[in-house]
Amino acid sequence: MTANENRPQAVQPRRIRFNYPVAALDRHFVQGDLVMSHMIAHLSAVFPEGEDFFIRSVRRYADQITDPELKDQVKGFIGQEVTHGREHRALNERLHEMGYPTRRIDRLVNRRQKVIERRFSPLTCLAITAALEHFTAVFAETLLSDERAQALLGTTEVRSMLLWHAIEESEHRSVAFDVYRAVGGDETRRIRTMRIIRFSFPLAVVTNTIISLFADRAAYHPVRLVRSFAALRHSPFLTRAVFRRLGEYMRPGFHPDDQDNTALLEHWEAALFGEQGSLVDHLN
């Protein structure tokens, strides 16, 4: 089956806004969980510069795309990623006010992206983008499909924003991958890049989460800290099924749409943006 046959019919940016009023979030907003709150805050802090990197990596090759459907997918991908970056910046400012080091992480990611773009070729940057898009899509679809993952975020505006982000990541999960293939990216580079990403990305998340915890007084309560780390064993984002899906990327001939997400997207499109959708009032 070709990428064209697999690819969703449309990737449409949504004009949407979220709001994080003062005192609307608890300090540890992921069900009071210390470690998960810092981890989610770190991931949010990474997104704006990360999304900009993804956009640049794909846009460099936009003129080489001849397939009109993929051209439309690229436009939709860029539009969605621009909005993701904007909304995470708004959340990150709120998290900064709550004591999370989101501004520092944003600066660090910016410097790291500049080094990567100087050191590696545009095609390798696109391979990095495709690999990281697989990570985000797998975690996004875990959030959308696992009630335990949804329950972690309660009923906060952060939950609403992450559900919206997750549905759009799932919608455009194959775009960077298809651009990489269309411009001549080979399997060796794709798989080799993921081998590095599989190690470096989780290591960066764990390292920066621990650094973030050092600045939180609650982390110096040993019983609470140990219990929070122990709870990670039962996290819906760290199951064998999740690791198996992440590992599928290493298989020669893999395509992101090998796993059908049509029903999942239809369910959440209706739940979030249908007539009675929970996020209709957030749309502009």
Side-chain angles (χ1 to χ4, degrees), residues 43-85:
L43 289 171
S44 181
V46 166
F47 273 120
E49 287 295 335
E51 306 284 23
D52 288 349
F53 174 82
F54 295 168
I55 291 167
R56 290 193 300 272
S57 297
V58 169
R59 186 176 272 155
R60 285 190 190 99
Y61 289 96
D63 292 343
Q64 298 183 32
I65 303 300
T66 57
D67 175 6
E69 185 181 349
L70 184 53
K71 274 184 173 292
D72 287 341
Q73 296 284 323
V74 167
K75 291 177 184 176
F77 170 87
I78 291 172
Q80 287 188 342
E81 296 289 52
V82 166
T83 309
H84 296 174

Side-chain angles (χ1 to χ4, degrees), residues 30 32-38 213 221-234:
V30 183
D33 187 283
L34 187 62
V35 174
M36 281 300 295
S37 295
H38 279 269
L213 283 164
H221 189 295
V223 174
R224 185 177 180 185
L225 184 63
V226 169
R227 285 178 177 171
S228 186
F229 271 111
L232 290 175
R233 293 178 301 169
H234 308 293

Side-chain angles (χ1 to χ4, degrees), residues 16 20 38 56-57 60 67-68 73 94 101 104 128-129 135 161 166-167 190-191 199 204 227 232 242 260:
I16 195 166
Y20 310 98
H38 279 269
R56 290 193 300 272
S57 297
R60 285 190 190 99
D67 175 6
Q73 296 284 323
R94 184 71 189 91
R104 179 184 63 80
I128 293 169
T129 295
F135 261 88
M161 193 268 267
I167 194 174
R190 178 181 71 80
I191 293 171
F199 172 76
R227 285 178 177 171
L232 290 175
V242 169
D260 186 13

Side-chain angles (χ1 to χ4, degrees), residues 107-154:
R107 292 192 297 270
L108 288 173
V109 174
N110 175 271
R111 290 198 290 268
R112 184 184 65 190
Q113 306 293 35
K114 288 179 179 177
V115 170
I116 290 172
E117 288 176 293
R118 284 197 302 267
R119 181 174 179 183
F120 296 107
S121 70
L123 190 59
T124 295
C125 289
L126 184 57
I128 293 169
T129 295
L132 288 171
E133 281 287 305
H134 180 63
F135 261 88
T136 55
V138 170
F139 287 123
E141 289 175 13
T142 300
L143 174 61
L144 295 175
S145 60
D146 193 318
E147 292 182 358
R148 296 174 303 154
Q150 297 154 31
L152 285 173
L153 298 170

